[in-house]
Amino acid sequence: MIRRYQLSLLLSLLLLVGVGETAVPSAAAQSDTAYQVIQLVNGFRAGYGLPPFQVNSALMASAQNQANYMAANTIFSSHIGAGGSTPQSRANAAGYIGYVSENIVGGTGMTPNQGLVWWENSPVHYNTLVTSRYIEAGTGYATNGSENFYVLVVGRPSDAPPVNTSSDNSPEPLFITPIELAEPGEDGSIVHIVQEGQALWSLAAYYNVNIADLRLYNNLSENAFLHPGDRVIIQLAEGQEPPPTPTPPLTHIVREGENAWVIAAKYNLPLTDFLWLNGLDENTFLQPGEEVTVRLAPGQLPPPTPTPITTHIVRSGQTLWDIALTYGLSLDDLLAYNNMSANDVLQIGQELRVRPPATPTPILPTPTLVPTKQPAPVTQNAPQIEVSVTAVTPTLLPTAQPTPQPPPSNKSGQTTATSVIALAIGTTIMAGALIVWGRRQLT
């Protein structure tokens, strides 16, 4: 009996160990999910014409360490990590020299794509996604079995590490508490009653609808705040026409921390169009309070089309890949234009061609004309002589004739018809020959 009990206990422990092992993903699975996050983020940036974040191994390690710490301790309250570390101190400890900022999101059963949706809908986290200040990134993923945690660390390299590593300008972490979805009404509409701590962007992410549609359905401005008890229309009733779309603004007032990249993405404009509308280049620094154009008014003449940029000067931290993406080129095209290979190292200040070199128009050899026999020229002013040809019946001159003999006769004494026919034929042939001869002489 005791042995059976011990055997049963041992089997139970083995089963528990097996369950525990399946609950925690392997290091390889964690790494795959972390790289999936960075791919999703770079795909989002590419949709706005932004260069991708360059993956940095030190930032990857820093992000993964924080994700592990949060999963092990179920912590969402701040960016503080093990031993009171900050995003900056963790990045420096992992070997990164430069400035960083960190996005964090977590929730029950959250997928990488859902995590990205939360960052997209949160204004402060959205700014991290479309930043041009930071050019490198690392991501981390961990789970405690029920809740998943995702960390994005973006960085800008420098020659020396920051002096103060305790400061942190990262946006607040996002822990997504489950929101109870409202059921559709009899007319097909969905109305959500706002609870404590819920915002419009979080409702948009949870119901998987466009935040612009929520503003339109509920006549809310971009800066509107929700209060507990507010009724928010999530879905219109069946057959109900949406309110008229408000006229999009023509200008935008620059806010603190905004740059050309952020504003262009906000209004769904390619960066090149935004720069063209305002006569700017990508290095122009925008001042808070400055008014910039984001759309032409009806009938407004556009500014003159700028001369296409043909070369680019390499700046610190830039790679062949993000230069190619900035100008809408494939990496192969950029390499071909500059006679380079993918392993070439860029130098700061190096000039790269970003448009194909002009192809010179080939000069064809002048063909040599071979002289040919030409007909005699006809003088246009020469008098035209019209020759009229009249058939002339030739007069046969008499010739000496032998003494006529009586025609032969047959036995009955009559002249034969054959002799008469032969004489007539001969006379006709001679007359035709004379006519031909006469015509040749005239021509």
Side-chain angles (χ1 to χ4, degrees):
M1 244 351 238
I2 296 177
R3 289 181 179 178
R4 288 182 181 178
Y5 174 77
Q6 291 176 338
L7 181 59
S8 176
L9 179 62
L10 179 60
L11 290 174
S12 299
L13 290 173
L14 289 175
L15 288 173
L16 288 174
V17 171
V19 171
E21 288 177 352
T22 56
V24 179
S26 64
Q30 281 186 310
S31 178
D32 289 343
T33 304
Y35 274 102
Q36 184 181 352
V37 175
I38 192 66
Q39 289 173 351
L40 289 171
V41 170
N42 280 340
F44 173 81
R45 288 173 62 84
Y48 289 103
L50 300 173
F53 286 130
Q54 301 301 304
V55 177
N56 182 279
S57 58
L59 295 181
M60 291 291 291
S62 175
Q64 188 60 55
N65 289 338
Q66 180 63 5
N68 292 340
Y69 176 80
M70 295 176 68
N73 298 277
T74 316
I75 291 179
F76 293 93
S77 58
S78 70
H79 291 271
I80 300 301
S85 64
T86 65
Q88 188 66 65
S89 65
R90 287 192 294 272
N92 295 154
Y96 188 76
I97 300 177
Y99 297 87
V100 303
S101 181
E102 187 178 71
N103 269 10
I104 288 174
V105 66
T108 303
M110 180 179 289
T111 66
N113 189 67
Q114 288 173 332
L116 176 62
V117 170
W118 287 104
W119 286 335
E120 289 178 31
N121 284 279
S122 168
V124 290
H125 294 84
Y126 173 86
N127 288 341
T128 303
L129 298 178
V130 298
T131 183
S132 60
R133 177 185 180 189
Y134 301 99
I135 61 175
E136 298 177 324
T139 50
Y141 157 74
T143 182
N144 59 12
S146 59
E147 290 136 345
N148 298 331
F149 301 81
Y150 302 96
V151 179
L152 167 68
V153 181
V154 295
R156 175 172 58 89
S158 66
D159 296 333
V163 176
N164 184 7
T165 59
S166 61
S167 61
D168 179 28
N169 60 350
S170 303
E172 288 299 317
L174 290 174
F175 177 64
I176 312 307
T177 56
I179 295 178
E180 185 177 351
L181 299 179
E183 295 293 333
E186 294 181 358
D187 59 357
S189 64
I190 298 177
V191 178
H192 180 87
I193 307 300
V194 178
Q195 304 298 318
E196 187 69 35
Q198 296 177 358
L200 191 65
W201 62 266
S202 62
L203 295 180
Y206 212 90
Y207 280 95
N208 196 25
V209 296
N210 195 310
I211 193 171
D213 290 340
L214 294 187
R215 292 196 182 104
L216 177 64
Y217 299 161
N218 297 276
N219 193 26
L220 297 173
S221 67
E222 183 179 344
N223 300 319
F225 287 96
L226 299 182
H227 300 88
D230 287 349
R231 296 171 60 86
V232 177
I233 299 174
I234 304 296
Q235 180 175 294
L236 298 175
E238 294 180 3
Q240 180 181 355
E241 293 291 332
T245 304
T247 303
L250 302 177
T251 60
H252 173 83
I253 304 301
V254 180
R255 300 173 182 173
E256 187 71 34
E258 288 184 330
N259 54 36
W261 295 95
V262 172
I263 297 173
K266 178 182 181 65
Y267 291 95
N268 200 24
L269 279 173
L271 177 64
T272 51
D273 287 357
F274 175 77
L275 298 177
W276 168 61
L277 288 174
N278 294 278
L280 306 174
D281 61 48
E282 60 180 2
N283 297 318
T284 302
F285 182 77
L286 299 178
Q287 301 289 342
E290 184 178 349
E291 186 175 18
V292 292
T293 300
V294 293
R295 189 175 68 90
L296 294 176
Q300 180 182 353
L301 294 178
T305 303
T307 304
I309 298 174
T310 58
T311 59
H312 173 84
I313 304 301
V314 178
R315 299 192 301 272
S316 176
Q318 289 189 318
T319 65
L320 287 166
W321 175 255
D322 58 61
I323 293 173
L325 188 60
T326 298
Y327 292 96
L329 302 173
S330 69
L331 181 60
D332 290 339
D333 285 343
L334 181 64
L335 296 175
Y337 296 163
N338 296 277
N339 296 322
M340 300 175 65
S341 71
N343 297 323
D344 289 345
V345 178
L346 294 179
Q347 303 294 330
I348 297 176
Q350 181 179 351
E351 185 176 14
L352 295 180
R353 178 173 287 279
V354 294
R355 292 289 179 269
T359 303
T361 303
I363 301 176
L364 300 177
T366 303
T368 302
L369 299 179
V370 179
T372 59
K373 185 177 181 181
Q374 300 294 331
V378 178
T379 305
Q380 294 183 354
N381 298 326
Q384 301 295 322
I385 301 175
E386 183 177 351
V387 178
S388 177
V389 179
T390 304
V392 178
T393 302
T395 302
L396 299 179
L397 299 178
T399 56
Q401 298 292 332
T403 303
Q405 299 293 329
S409 59
N410 53 16
K411 293 181 179 181
S412 60
Q414 297 179 349
T415 304
T416 61
T418 303
S419 299
V420 175
I421 292 172
L423 179 61
I425 293 173
T427 303
T428 302
I429 293 173
M430 182 176 292
L434 288 173
I435 292 171
V436 174
W437 176 84
R439 287 181 178 177
R440 289 182 177 175
Q441 295 301 316
L442 290 175
T443 59

